[in-house]
Amino acid sequence: MKVRERLREMGLSVTSLHDVSNMSRAIEEAKVIFVGGGNTFRLLKGLEDSDLLNPIRRKVAAGVPYIGSSAGCIVACPTLKTTKDMPVVQPNSFEALGLVPFQISPHYLDPDPASTHMGETQEERIMQFLEENDSPVVGLREGSILRIEGDDVTLKGPNNARIFRRGEQPIEAAPGSNLGLLLEKATAVVGSAA
Amino acid sequence: MKVRERLREMGLSVTSLHDVSNMSRAIEEAKVIFVGGGNTFRLLKGLEDSDLLNPIRRKVAAGVPYIGSSAGCIVACPTLKTTKDMPVVQPNSFEALGLVPFQISPHYLDPDPASTHMGETQEERIMQFLEENDSPVVGLREGSILRIEGDDVTLKGPNNARIFRRGEQPIEAAPGSNLGLLLEKATAVVGSAA
């Protein structure tokens, strides 16, 4: 609702998939695809159940811009494995749209040194992800945007992003940086046998 | 490691499943089962992959005490759907041990009114769970314990617990309360037709 009003103020009209009977056709005719927030598991299961993953992948491959916020930003990644949402429903698979070759961890919160909370921090959770998976992860703080065109991944907004790669110390990237190279998946290095 | 040292100080010896070759037999011979914390998805997948869910269920049904902390407390519930962990690996099913008929949401954090964080609070996440599922949920704050014997569910420790039931306002339960009745699954009420 908020999205529709904001975009109307900008002169754009929004067709919500929740309101149309033929969702695939609505995607076929879209000039831009926007996927907002909510529970990531429910979102991915909804996309699975409505058979929308491939239609969205095809449109984006054909050049239609995709804008994702929060859960909508995670489902653009290879999997939903960096969500912080509760797994309130079980999708068939954790595989998501895979529009980009890395994972995003939005709403990134820095550890609070004053906290008495015993649960893991977001950084610790991402480290667990990297123990099991080798996609790089961008910890995206509130107010940050990644603008992706071709191989360029530009960090916009007021804050640094935190970049996590398997087996490496996390690094901070400044606004305006092109993170493209940082976010390439680690390629296997074939060493010469000793 | 910490668990082993603490329990040794209390005169108890611990056999870690990570160290034994025959895990089913170690469970068969256990006098108490303790499952600690970590990533809940990884824990459940480990229990699935090692075929330990049924052996643990059988032992607990036969009267062996089960002690769970953090992830170990969530896997005692019907599903892992109230974890806050990242879904870093995909278990076959979200179904967990089901030793109790309700869900626990440990490390329960109250909303911080000063926060500028845009992600959902734990309460909002539990409300999403209840939109999709009808098991009651106990939000268990740091330092709290549920001691369960038969139908009695006693809240121990210094803090209130927050009880969430589908379609109802959450309520606070004081230390020492028996939450047994509160945590019964809502049963269908058959009304007389008008």
Side-chain angles (χ1 to χ4, degrees):
Chain A
M1 236 15 199
K2 261 197 255 177
V3 168
R4 190 186 299 242
E5 284 160 25
R6 281 298 191 82
L7 292 177
R8 190 184 294 141
E9 287 166 20
M10 296 164 70
L12 299 169
S13 81
V14 176
T15 303
S16 168
L17 282 193
H18 302 289
D19 301 336
V20 297
S21 52
N22 191 333
M23 294 194 276
S24 305
R25 201 175 70 189
I27 287 175
E28 205 43 60
E29 292 169 354
K31 303 213 164 39
V32 175
I33 295 170
F34 172 84
V35 181
N39 183 286
T40 313
F41 291 89
R42 195 152 53 183
L43 173 59
L44 182 58
K45 185 166 194 309
L47 292 171
E48 282 178 350
D49 291 349
S50 306
D51 274 327
L52 295 177
L53 291 165
N54 278 329
I56 294 174
R57 286 178 186 129
R58 278 195 299 266
K59 282 301 272 189
V60 176
V64 163
Y66 176 99
I67 306 173
S69 141
S70 198
C73 147
I74 294 172
V75 294
C77 301
T79 71
L80 60 49
K81 292 181 176 176
T82 49
T83 180
K84 296 195 286 183
D85 288 334
M86 270 191 185
V88 300
V89 295
Q90 180 172 1
N92 288 325
S93 162
F94 284 2
E95 194 180 323
L97 289 164
L99 306 180
V100 296
F102 53 84
Q103 289 290 137
I104 299 170
S105 179
H107 305 295
Y108 186 77
L109 279 179
D110 292 287
D112 173 3
S115 173
T116 56
H117 182 56
M118 300 289 285
E120 288 89 353
T121 64
Q122 196 156 349
E123 173 154 331
E124 286 165 342
R125 289 167 205 271
I126 294 170
M127 292 304 191
Q128 288 175 348
F129 169 83
L130 290 173
E131 286 168 22
E132 304 286 346
N133 304 276
D134 66 357
S135 295
V137 181
V138 187
L140 209 57
R141 297 183 174 92
E142 297 297 3
S144 295
I145 291 172
L146 292 180
R147 185 184 174 101
I148 299 160
E149 290 174 288
D151 293 334
D152 293 332
V153 181
T154 311
L155 176 63
K156 305 270 197 178
N159 299 313
N160 288 349
R162 196 160 176 84
I163 314 292
F164 301 83
R165 293 174 62 100
R166 192 173 200 171
E168 297 177 17
Q169 286 296 313
I171 59 171
E172 290 286 322
S177 307
N178 185 345
L179 311 180
L181 278 177
L182 284 175
L183 294 173
E184 273 180 15
K185 202 160 170 172
T187 45
V189 177
V190 182
S192 54
Chain B
M1 236 14 199
K2 261 197 255 178
V3 168
R4 189 185 300 240
E5 284 162 23
R6 281 297 191 83
L7 292 176
R8 189 183 294 140
E9 288 166 20
M10 297 163 68
L12 299 169
S13 82
V14 175
T15 303
S16 169
L17 283 193
H18 302 289
D19 300 337
V20 298
S21 52
N22 191 332
M23 294 194 275
S24 306
R25 200 174 71 189
I27 287 175
E28 205 43 59
E29 292 169 354
K31 303 211 165 41
V32 175
I33 295 170
F34 173 83
V35 181
N39 183 286
T40 313
F41 291 88
R42 194 152 54 181
L43 173 59
L44 182 58
K45 185 165 194 307
L47 293 171
E48 282 178 349
D49 290 349
S50 307
D51 274 327
L52 295 177
L53 291 166
N54 279 329
I56 294 175
R57 286 177 187 130
R58 277 195 299 267
K59 283 302 272 189
V60 176
V64 163
Y66 176 99
I67 306 172
S69 141
S70 196
C73 148
I74 294 173
V75 295
C77 301
T79 71
L80 60 50
K81 292 182 177 176
T82 49
T83 180
K84 295 195 285 183
D85 288 334
M86 271 191 186
V88 301
V89 295
Q90 179 172 4
N92 289 325
S93 161
F94 284 4
E95 195 179 323
L97 289 165
L99 307 180
V100 296
F102 52 85
Q103 290 289 138
I104 298 170
S105 180
H107 305 294
Y108 186 78
L109 280 179
D110 292 287
D112 173 3
S115 172
T116 56
H117 182 55
M118 300 288 285
E120 288 88 353
T121 64
Q122 196 156 349
E123 173 154 333
E124 287 165 341
R125 289 167 205 269
I126 294 170
M127 293 303 191
Q128 287 174 349
F129 170 83
L130 289 173
E131 287 168 21
E132 304 286 346
N133 304 275
D134 66 357
S135 295
V137 182
V138 187
L140 209 57
R141 297 184 175 91
E142 298 297 4
S144 294
I145 291 172
L146 292 180
R147 186 185 173 100
I148 299 162
E149 289 173 290
D151 293 334
D152 293 332
V153 181
T154 311
L155 176 63
K156 305 270 198 178
N159 299 314
N160 289 348
R162 195 160 176 85
I163 314 291
F164 301 83
R165 292 175 60 98
R166 192 174 200 170
E168 297 177 17
Q169 285 296 314
I171 60 171
E172 291 285 322
S177 306
N178 185 344
L179 311 181
L181 278 177
L182 283 176
L183 294 174
E184 274 179 15
K185 203 160 171 172
T187 45
V189 176
V190 181
S192 53

